[in-house]
Amino acid sequence: MEEKQGRSIAPIIHTIIGLAIMVSGYFLPCPGMVVEASEKLAALNLPAVDGGLELAITRIGMIISMTFFGVIYLWTFVDTLWPCFVGVAALVFSGYAPPPKVLSTFLGNPMVVMLFFLFMLAAAIVHSNLAGWMAKYAMSRKFINGRPWVLTATLLFTTYLVAFLDQVSAMFLMWPALFGIFKETGYKKGDTYVSMMTVYVAIVILLSFASDPFKGGAMYLLVNLQSLAATDVNTVVPSLNIAAYILFAVIVSIVSIILLLLMMRFVFRADLTPLAKYSGSGNQELPKMTAMQKLVLFDFIFYAIWLLLPAIIGADNPVGAFLKKNHLTGSLMAIIVLSVVFIKGKPVIDVTAANSKYPWRVFLLIAVAMLLGGVMTGKGTNVSLYMEYGLRNLIGGLNPVAFSIAVVAIGIVFTNFCNSVVLGLMLTPVLIAVATAFNINAAPMLACFIYAVLIAACTPAASPFAATLYGQTEWIDNKNLVLHSVTASLVVFLVVVCVGLPLANLFF
């Protein structure tokens, strides 16, 4: 009886805490610090104090920040659906902007619109049972027959390779295949193997996201370095060789995946008995694909080509230029193909039929995380400036090794609370300036930072991939999600520090 009461009262307590955090921004003091005057701060009209300027987070910045942290708390410990609506409502009533502007920003973000259509494609993959077919295909391979750890390693390394082609596509291809394997082998929600593999697929996709310098998050940060080098003549901006970065990132990723597998086997001791029995039973006869499954698979390949072709053929020709200009439209075109092609008198994707498979919870998570995270670090809040100058005070004066380790740790921790790419773009010039001021070679540190800042998945705010992970409530609960995402992030942090940093000093 006491256990039941404990389980019933815990969500209420967490809800009260989360809502208290959300409203605390209205009365908590706004943190501030005295900073040296500069041209960058001149336009803000900050008050002069003790020979410098008093830089403080604005009241609206405090309100939005605490609203965001409260929503993250509720997402983590209570639910992932209703806090989304509460967060949007809180932003509307905060006075940040007129309600129509807030709501248009909420659902008008081009990335959110793209994901709206892409989730329809994901629903078609599940509705057509293409995911189940892929699961049977994986289980019928002879080299994994009776070898569950080989199958597990194959799934993770395949995820990394597929994600290197396109991270978003990998997310909607590998999870359905994995969940199909769970169903085929009799695993259920709460099993250690189920929880760890659900998280590890997301982590491996993020490792690829951090490794890909051509179209992933690493590309934006590496291009930003080139832009800084071209525009900031007063700062020594290091140049990171693309080929060297790929080699560095791939080695760090492979070591990380191997350690994650070892964690699963020897630390958490995941039970692979159901997988071993099924893969060794010899009963996995591969069924023929239906016409619907073939078309959905073709459509998925069409969408992947739409995204990848510009990188293959270049953007200096009409086809490549058109696809690159309209890359966000690819998911819409994929849905059009499924909608206009009929099989047995019915469209391949029937919105009313597939609606039960549509991940609305995940879609709202991503939309709200991008909305609140973007507003929190936007103009008028001073949050990003406060983080910048606070970072200068925190890591200034450290020796090169301690400096690099601190930067990696800060990158992994901070990126869990705001968009990883935005955080990387914001902190890169700060890190360069601090490294230059203390005569530290910034190149190895930046290589590790760029990689580390892109792999966090401990809260839904870190990235669309992390938000999507938090939406997989059918197979994992928040307690196990937090446990395994935190431990996986710690593993990657240790690999970046112990393996990545020496490599970076060697390569850069």
Side-chain angles (χ1 to χ4, degrees):
M1 181 65 72
E2 291 179 0
E3 185 180 352
K4 290 183 178 179
Q5 290 178 346
R7 284 202 302 265
S8 63
I9 200 173
I12 298 176
I13 295 175
H14 285 306
T15 298
I16 293 173
I17 294 173
L19 294 177
I21 294 173
M22 291 181 68
V23 301
S24 65
Y26 287 90
F27 53 82
L28 285 179
C30 299
M33 67 179 75
V34 177
V35 299
E36 184 179 351
S38 66
E39 294 182 6
K40 184 176 183 178
L41 301 176
L44 298 179
N45 296 319
L46 300 176
V49 178
D50 298 332
L53 299 176
E54 184 178 4
L55 173 63
I57 296 176
T58 64
R59 176 53 61 185
I60 190 65
M62 194 68 183
I63 292 171
I64 295 171
S65 298
M66 298 315 295
T67 296
F68 193 25
F69 294 145
V71 170
I72 291 174
Y73 185 91
L74 292 172
W75 277 340
T76 306
F77 295 105
V78 182
D79 190 59
T80 54
L81 186 58
W82 67 261
C84 294
F85 303 121
V86 174
V88 176
L91 184 60
V92 168
F93 293 118
S94 69
Y96 169 77
K101 183 177 180 180
V102 172
L103 295 176
S104 64
T105 305
F106 171 40
L107 294 176
N109 186 309
M111 179 63 71
V112 172
V113 175
M114 183 199 78
L115 288 173
F116 174 77
F117 293 112
L118 188 54
F119 283 151
M120 286 187 180
L121 178 57
I125 292 175
V126 176
H127 181 65
S128 65
N129 200 31
L130 175 61
W133 187 91
M134 291 188 296
K136 289 181 179 293
Y137 178 85
M139 297 296 291
S140 64
R141 301 304 90 191
K142 291 183 178 180
F143 74 94
I144 59 95
N145 192 17
R147 300 172 179 173
W149 285 108
V150 175
L151 172 61
T152 301
T154 301
L155 286 170
L156 293 182
F157 281 106
T158 300
T159 299
Y160 183 74
L161 293 175
V162 172
F164 218 98
L165 297 176
D166 182 68
Q167 291 87 40
V168 176
S169 301
M171 195 166 48
F172 296 105
L173 182 65
M174 298 308 298
W175 259 327
L178 179 66
F179 299 155
I181 290 175
F182 294 161
K183 291 178 181 178
E184 289 289 333
T185 53
Y187 277 111
K188 60 185 184 299
K189 181 178 179 178
D191 291 340
T192 301
Y193 183 75
V194 170
S195 299
M196 296 191 76
M197 284 298 289
T198 301
V199 172
Y200 284 3
V201 164
I203 294 293
V204 170
I205 290 174
L206 286 166
L207 296 181
S208 179
F209 186 61
S211 303
D212 183 2
F214 302 113
K215 60 191 176 304
M219 179 200 73
Y220 297 106
L221 300 185
L222 290 172
V223 169
N224 182 53
L225 272 182
Q226 297 174 356
S227 176
L228 290 173
T231 57
D232 193 346
V233 295
N234 298 320
T235 305
V236 179
V237 180
S239 175
L240 299 184
N241 181 275
I242 297 296
Y245 181 84
I246 293 175
L247 182 59
F248 156 81
V250 168
I251 293 174
V252 172
S253 298
I254 290 174
V255 175
S256 297
I257 294 172
I258 292 173
L259 286 182
L260 291 176
L261 287 167
L262 294 175
M263 286 277 291
M264 185 186 299
R265 182 164 189 174
F266 297 108
V267 178
F268 291 98
R269 299 183 181 276
D271 181 14
L272 273 65
T273 304
L275 206 62
K277 289 181 178 179
Y278 187 88
S279 63
S281 64
N283 295 323
Q284 316 90 322
E285 183 178 350
L286 189 65
K288 291 184 179 180
M289 294 184 72
T290 65
M292 179 182 292
Q293 289 172 340
K294 289 179 180 178
L295 184 59
V296 173
L297 179 60
F298 165 80
D299 195 54
F300 185 87
I301 295 172
F302 162 78
Y303 170 70
I305 291 175
W306 184 290
L307 295 181
L308 295 174
L309 200 57
I312 297 173
I313 65 174
D316 55 352
N317 59 83
V319 175
F322 174 82
L323 294 178
K324 183 176 181 179
K325 181 181 178 181
N326 298 281
H327 71 283
L328 291 177
T329 316
S331 56
L332 171 60
M333 299 307 297
I335 294 305
I336 290 176
V337 171
L338 294 182
S339 301
V340 300
V341 176
F342 282 65
I343 295 178
K344 295 181 180 180
K346 296 182 179 180
V348 173
I349 182 169
D350 186 337
V351 175
T352 57
N355 186 53
S356 61
K357 306 294 183 182
Y358 190 91
W360 287 107
R361 186 183 297 268
V362 182
F363 174 75
L364 290 169
L365 263 171
I366 294 174
V368 173
M370 295 183 73
L371 170 70
L372 293 177
V375 170
M376 182 181 71
T377 54
K379 293 182 178 179
T381 65
N382 286 354
V383 171
S384 59
L385 280 173
Y386 185 84
M387 291 172 59
E388 174 183 333
Y389 282 87
L391 187 62
R392 291 175 185 264
N393 296 334
L394 181 64
I395 62 177
L398 297 177
N399 65 62
V401 175
F403 178 80
S404 299
I405 294 174
V407 165
V408 172
I410 288 169
I412 288 181
V413 172
F414 279 22
T415 194
N416 276 295
F417 300 98
C418 54
N419 184 279
S420 55
V421 174
V422 173
L423 179 69
L425 294 174
M426 182 176 68
L427 292 185
T428 295
V430 179
L431 296 175
I432 294 174
V434 175
T436 301
F438 292 95
N439 197 28
I440 295 174
N441 179 15
M445 173 271 297
L446 282 175
C448 294
F449 171 76
I450 288 173
Y451 186 92
V453 81
L454 297 171
I455 57 92
C458 300
T459 74
S463 68
F465 307 106
T468 307
L469 171 61
Y470 267 79
Q472 307 306 318
T473 54
E474 180 182 356
W475 289 102
I476 187 171
D477 55 43
N478 281 3
K479 178 182 178 182
N480 284 318
L481 197 159
V482 171
L483 170 65
H484 296 303
S485 61
V486 169
T487 54
S489 296
L490 288 174
V491 167
V492 178
F493 168 73
L494 291 175
V495 173
V496 173
V497 170
C498 299
V499 178
L501 192 54
L503 278 177
N505 279 287
L506 178 64
F507 292 166
F508 306 105

